[in-house]
Amino acid sequence: MSLKKHCNIPIFIPELACQHQCVFCNQEKISNTFSVPTPNEIGQIIDSYLATLSEGTVINIAFFGGSFTGIPQEEMINYLKVAHTYVKTGKVQGIRISTRPDYITNPILDILEQYGVTAIELGAQSTNDKVLVKSGRGHKFNAIENAAKLIRKRNFELGLQMMLGLPYDTLELSLQTARDIVRLKADTTRIYPTIVVKGTVLEKLYKKGEYQPLSMEDALSWCKEVLKIFNEASIKVLRVGLHPSEELEFDKSLITGPIHPSFKEMVLSELWSDVLMSKHLHKGKSIIYVAKNQLNYAIGYKGKNRNTLREKGYDIKFVADKNLKDFELDVCYN
């Protein structure tokens, strides 16, 4: 039986009047959104997406780009009312929203339940209090913990996003954040290495020599280790690395930082390198069977893993096997 395709209809609503000044944040630049759609306009956005999607696709409307529950309540409800009409008619299966942990209360959750919200993603970023303070988040870990508990008590899917390489962050603190996300029983997560964007506090700190983002090598290594924790806990990772956009280029809004259109592939290639090197492979010809969706990652970004093995004297061929799961492999020696 084939798995159903899933698709989010993204609606970007940057909370331009956010009272917090996170050091990394410039929502207009990051989301590549310079105008905010009105509630009346989002129906057109949804309809345009629906016209392109095949029958049988599991569809969610996703309010991204800022802290959705931080916008004025009446305006938030107006957005939800439009989206909810598509849920009620069965054209979409649910509504996803992203927000801040300190913008979650029981009255807010009552509204979200009423209008068909099915998944809530919190920008946790870190669970270390000093990292949160240095990053200008405006709350500490207890806010993340409390919000997660409130959401888990209801029938919402819980997502907890994290960032790597924030001010004061270390590999061990990032690993602890990942472990905390597991402990808080998140269903999903997203992993974003920190980048420096124009118009942010982080840009000023970087130019003064008070902040240095992770190198690409370190970002890949940290992300790989974090991913191992989530994989072991069976937490679904929705995204690895910031989604590149026309605006987030070095000659435009991007100052510096580990961003790459193939970042996820590079991370998974590194993870597969660890898996392959941990196996006691025999020199000579062999076939390595892996899950179909892991084949490119096992071979490695630009063939890196295959080339490394061949340089070490292994004559390896990678083949997809539909019976294998992620990071499982079988080896057949000729």
Side-chain angles (χ1 to χ4, degrees):
M1 181 182 294
S2 61
L3 296 175
K4 287 188 175 182
K5 289 179 62 178
H6 287 68
C7 178
N8 284 335
I9 298 176
I11 300 174
F12 292 96
I13 305 179
E15 191 201 348
L16 303 180
C18 181
Q19 60 182 310
H20 300 280
Q21 184 61 58
C22 300
V23 297
F24 53 82
C25 189
N26 183 331
Q27 280 294 339
E28 286 187 356
K29 304 294 187 184
I30 292 172
S31 66
N32 200 26
T33 302
F34 297 90
S35 63
V36 181
T38 66
N40 291 333
E41 292 171 330
I42 68 167
Q44 297 174 356
I45 297 172
I46 296 168
D47 287 336
S48 67
Y49 271 91
L50 289 176
T52 67
L53 297 174
S54 58
E55 189 176 345
T57 303
V58 178
I59 305 168
N60 287 283
I61 297 168
F63 289 103
F64 291 142
S67 300
F68 185 71
T69 59
I71 63 178
Q73 191 171 113
E74 183 178 352
E75 188 175 352
M76 179 185 74
I77 290 173
N78 287 337
Y79 282 115
L80 289 172
K81 281 181 177 178
V82 176
H84 193 214
T85 60
Y86 291 86
V87 177
K88 289 188 294 185
T89 59
K91 292 182 178 179
V92 306
Q93 282 65 57
I95 301 169
R96 306 182 68 90
I97 65 113
S98 61
T99 193
R100 290 172 53 94
D102 52 344
Y103 285 0
I104 288 292
T105 63
N106 275 316
I108 287 291
L109 293 176
D110 289 339
I111 294 170
L112 300 182
E113 272 187 335
Q114 180 182 352
Y115 290 103
V117 171
T118 49
I120 301 172
E121 293 187 43
L122 301 178
Q125 320 312 8
S126 174
T127 58
N128 179 270
D129 282 348
K130 190 162 186 177
V131 174
L132 292 170
V133 170
K134 290 282 188 182
S135 300
R137 290 294 289 161
H139 65 76
K140 294 186 177 180
F141 173 55
N142 66 321
I144 300 170
E145 196 169 32
N146 292 339
K149 287 179 180 177
L150 290 177
I151 292 168
R152 292 294 303 178
K153 285 181 180 178
R154 310 214 188 190
N155 196 30
F156 294 109
E157 177 186 291
L158 171 63
L160 291 171
Q161 304 171 8
M162 67 176 292
M163 295 179 68
L164 307 175
L166 288 166
Y168 190 74
D169 198 15
T170 64
L171 173 57
E172 184 49 49
L173 292 180
S174 280
L175 294 177
Q176 185 57 54
T177 292
R179 288 189 286 266
D180 287 333
I181 287 174
V182 171
R183 182 174 59 81
L184 293 173
K185 299 180 180 179
D187 299 293
T188 65
T189 188
R190 297 175 193 260
I191 311 168
Y192 297 116
T194 304
I195 61 172
V196 181
V197 177
K198 287 182 180 179
T200 63
V201 175
L202 215 53
E203 178 191 13
K204 297 176 183 177
L205 295 175
Y206 171 73
K207 288 183 174 179
K208 290 193 295 184
E210 297 177 8
Y211 172 77
Q212 185 65 38
L214 296 176
S215 65
M216 181 61 74
E217 182 180 1
D218 283 344
L220 293 173
S221 178
W222 287 30
C223 199
K224 175 189 68 175
E225 296 304 322
V226 163
L227 201 55
K228 289 178 181 179
I229 293 173
F230 292 139
N231 288 342
E232 185 176 345
S234 298
I235 292 179
K236 186 175 182 180
V237 181
L238 299 177
R239 177 165 290 282
V240 178
L242 192 64
H243 184 66
S245 68
E246 183 179 342
E247 183 62 30
L248 281 180
E249 296 178 358
F250 284 106
D251 60 345
K252 293 187 179 178
S253 296
L254 181 63
I255 302 294
T256 187
I259 186 171
H260 191 282
S262 299
F263 187 85
K264 177 182 177 181
E265 182 181 355
M266 294 162 73
V267 171
L268 288 172
S269 293
E270 293 297 315
L271 201 159
W272 263 104
S273 176
D274 286 359
V275 172
L276 292 166
M277 297 308 167
S278 70
K279 303 296 179 182
H280 298 291
L281 301 174
H282 297 171
K283 294 289 178 74
K285 289 187 176 182
S286 59
I287 300 174
I288 297 180
Y289 294 94
V290 300
K292 183 178 179 181
N293 67 323
Q294 296 293 314
L295 182 61
N296 289 337
Y297 306 137
I299 293 171
Y301 177 64
K302 294 186 175 180
K304 179 182 177 182
N305 296 336
R306 180 179 55 200
N307 295 340
T308 298
L309 287 169
R310 286 178 175 173
E311 289 168 5
K312 293 178 180 291
Y314 300 97
D315 187 356
I316 300 291
K317 180 180 180 181
F318 289 88
V319 175
D321 186 332
K322 64 181 180 180
N323 296 315
L324 293 174
K325 298 179 181 178
D326 292 357
F327 306 109
E328 290 182 345
L329 60 83
D330 281 338
V331 184
C332 178
Y333 296 104
N334 293 336

